Amino acid sequence: MVKHHPTTDFITDFAAGTLPVAQAACISAHLNYCDSCRRSAEQLQTIGGVLMEQLAPVTVSESVLESVLARLDEPAPLSFAQKPARQEAFDLPGLLTRIINGDFTQLTWKRITRALSVSSLQTGDSAYEFALYKIAAGGRIPEHDHGGSEMTLVLKGGFSDDRGTYHPGDFIFRQANETHMPVTIDGDECICLAVLDAPLKFTSWQYRWLNPFLQLRAG
Amino acid sequence: MVEEKTQSEQNTKSWSVPTGRRTDEWSECLVLVGKSNDRAAFTRFFRHFGPLIKAFALAGSSLSQAHADEIVQEVMLKVWQKADGFNPEKAAASTWIYTIARNCRTDMFRRLQKFDTPLAADDLSIELEEEEPFAVLHSRRGADRVRELMSQLPPDQAQILAKVYMEGKSHSEAAAELDLPLGTVKSRVRLAIQKLQVQMERL
């Protein structure tokens, strides 16, 4: 059962199509797990439909209609639209499968600390890093600060920090200067999707020397 | 006398939900297209929504007429291809076509900006499950209710919603264009959404 959700602000921007692609992908992945946010998004889209109906129509020439009619027999392209995830199984949201172009076993992980590895994925979004973070079973991410904003979506396992405990489908948003120290739970490794617009900054002296290596890998 | 009264009642009724009947008409149209590849129904649908999609494509953008026409074509082709998945019990025709138009416009903007992403806007769309009674209850009536409540929104809130939904502006872009503080834009969007009663209670 998903307990941590994006704010209505985020879902509205998602419904209106105004979020940067990396953030939109993270919200979409959350909707895979969450019935109530999915309904919310659907409801917020009705606003777009009603506003569109009320626009002043702009004339479309007959030739446009004719060329559409001439193309109706073309085969439809493949659709990758997502189906809601089944609760029981560990089910990677469809769009991640699409970005990874396979499954977790095909990813290359870069080790940051003994417990933490990162795999950057490409969304084409030059302002945001879109990456998977893997915390080994029993491990933790050293206390860190965010230079900017961080969206996190738990995909596998779970973690807790000073504000809560998070399981698959849970969505967490942190802004600059909010420090936390995630620790895995249930003796399982934890994999999260993270969308950042600035690199993490470790705050404890043992790890601070790593900061220069934590460049934002956006793109 | 009796006749007059009936007449005025009808007027009031059709005034309070001005496009209610039309919405049903477009849903029926989509069902015909989906079930029996009805080209005449598709053409009617095109003549109604084509000019609205074009207006949407041009809203708040410097898109050329040719690109706007291209969006109309792409959206209408998708309408034809996806109509069999349209369920009038689940969504209003206007909501359904809005999401297609929004995605096509996003993809067009990205193509024009040479923004290379493996994700098409459609990939981020979520399909509602077949068995969602709640969605059935609210999505279909939702559009009628939103339409009614929309007419009661204060102009400043309606204006922000149009910026966000029709022009596809982020909150900060809208703030810059309207010369308003970001916080004002955000709170107007929130207020408008509260008034339109589309915010869901957490289960």
Side-chain angles (χ1 to χ4, degrees):
Chain A
M1 183 71 193
V2 178
K3 291 207 181 78
H4 299 270
H5 307 272
T7 57
T8 305
D9 285 8
F10 274 131
I11 302 179
T12 308
D13 290 344
F14 176 82
T18 63
L19 284 180
V21 66
Q23 290 196 329
C26 187
I27 298 290
S28 169
H30 170 76
L31 298 188
N32 259 282
Y33 295 90
C34 180
D35 293 348
S36 72
C37 289
R38 199 157 61 235
R39 286 175 197 132
S40 214
E42 180 76 13
Q43 287 293 291
L44 287 161
Q45 286 172 353
T46 59
I47 298 176
V50 168
L51 285 170
M52 197 170 93
E53 279 176 340
Q54 294 173 351
L55 291 175
V58 178
T59 311
V60 176
S61 84
E62 282 297 298
S63 65
V64 178
L65 172 60
E66 279 157 27
S67 55
V68 171
L69 288 174
R71 289 175 63 192
L72 291 186
D73 295 323
E74 285 180 9
L78 287 177
S79 165
F80 294 91
Q82 312 205 68
K83 301 267 190 259
R86 296 282 162 268
Q87 294 288 334
E88 326 79 72
F90 168 55
D91 204 355
L92 202 58
L95 76 99
L96 288 181
T97 315
R98 178 138 166 73
I99 297 177
I100 295 170
N101 205 4
D103 59 40
F104 277 171
T105 58
Q106 277 141 304
L107 291 170
T108 25
W109 294 93
K110 185 183 159 202
R111 207 156 161 185
I112 306 287
T113 69
R114 239 172 57 194
L116 173 67
S117 314
V118 179
S119 181
S120 302
L121 304 177
Q122 307 301 315
T123 61
D125 195 326
S126 60
Y128 292 87
E129 175 179 282
F130 188 91
L132 298 175
Y133 280 65
K134 181 162 74 177
I135 321 174
R140 59 177 197 180
I141 298 185
E143 185 182 71
H144 62 273
D145 190 342
H146 305 108
S149 69
E150 179 193 56
M151 280 185 173
T152 307
L153 180 73
V154 181
L155 299 173
K156 182 175 187 282
F159 75 86
S160 63
D161 66 10
D162 54 321
R163 288 198 227 164
T165 301
Y166 313 99
H167 296 99
D170 278 335
F171 176 95
I172 304 106
F173 183 68
R174 290 293 158 87
Q175 279 167 303
N177 306 318
E178 295 184 308
T179 59
H180 69 155
M181 184 173 68
V183 182
T184 56
I185 52 170
D186 302 336
D188 191 8
E189 71 173 8
C190 172
I191 298 180
C192 294
L193 168 64
V195 180
L196 298 109
D197 61 3
L200 299 186
K201 281 186 295 189
F202 290 135
T203 42
S204 64
W205 62 270
Q206 300 102 311
Y207 293 100
R208 243 178 281 162
W209 63 275
L210 277 169
N211 287 341
F213 301 99
L214 295 171
Q215 285 154 0
L216 190 73
R217 298 163 68 90
Chain B
M1 276 299 279
V2 176
E3 261 181 32
E4 259 180 45
K5 197 184 169 199
T6 316
Q7 183 68 37
S8 79
E9 262 178 11
Q10 274 176 353
N11 283 346
T12 322
K13 207 178 164 195
S14 62
W15 182 82
S16 69
V17 188
T19 46
R21 221 194 93 257
R22 257 176 44 205
T23 308
D24 286 339
E25 183 188 335
W26 301 125
S27 297
E28 283 162 23
C29 226
L30 273 181
V31 170
L32 284 174
V33 173
K35 285 222 173 102
S36 44
N37 288 348
D38 186 329
R39 289 183 183 230
F42 177 77
T43 304
R44 262 189 291 140
F45 196 84
F46 186 107
R47 289 195 198 281
H48 178 72
F49 280 103
L52 295 174
I53 296 163
K54 188 164 179 183
F56 173 74
L58 293 169
S61 78
S62 49
L63 218 56
S64 68
Q65 294 283 321
H67 283 132
D69 283 338
E70 208 178 311
I71 290 179
V72 174
Q73 286 200 36
E74 279 177 25
V75 174
M76 293 310 297
L77 271 179
K78 288 215 166 124
V79 166
W80 179 258
Q81 290 156 355
K82 292 179 164 198
D84 60 344
F86 171 75
N87 180 349
E89 296 292 308
K90 270 186 350 191
S94 60
T95 310
W96 189 79
I97 194 167
Y98 162 72
T99 59
I100 297 178
R102 176 199 66 193
N103 290 351
C104 285
R105 188 175 72 172
T106 300
D107 288 339
M108 167 71 80
F109 282 155
R110 288 188 183 143
R111 276 203 301 279
L112 292 174
Q113 289 164 5
K114 309 257 187 292
F115 181 107
D116 191 21
T117 172
L119 294 171
D122 257 358
D123 296 337
L124 306 189
S125 288
I126 293 285
E127 290 168 7
L128 287 183
E129 296 226 64
E130 281 305 317
E131 300 302 322
E132 291 197 63
F134 182 90
V136 171
L137 190 67
H138 286 255
S139 297
R140 192 169 30 129
R141 288 194 210 143
D144 290 336
R145 200 185 51 215
V146 166
R147 197 177 294 120
E148 234 179 294
L149 294 168
M150 189 81 78
S151 61
Q152 297 161 27
L153 280 187
D156 57 349
Q157 289 170 22
Q159 180 195 34
I160 297 275
L161 279 191
K163 279 262 174 241
V164 172
Y165 276 89
M166 292 300 100
E167 300 186 16
K169 298 281 155 63
S170 70
H171 294 174
S172 43
E173 285 166 335
E177 280 187 28
L178 299 169
D179 201 17
L180 289 169
L182 184 60
T184 308
V185 168
K186 283 183 188 288
S187 66
R188 282 185 193 170
V189 173
R190 276 180 210 146
L191 279 171
I193 281 162
Q194 274 169 26
K195 287 185 188 150
L196 297 176
Q197 300 172 17
V198 286
Q199 215 171 9
M200 295 297 104
E201 295 298 319
R202 293 277 171 226
L203 296 179

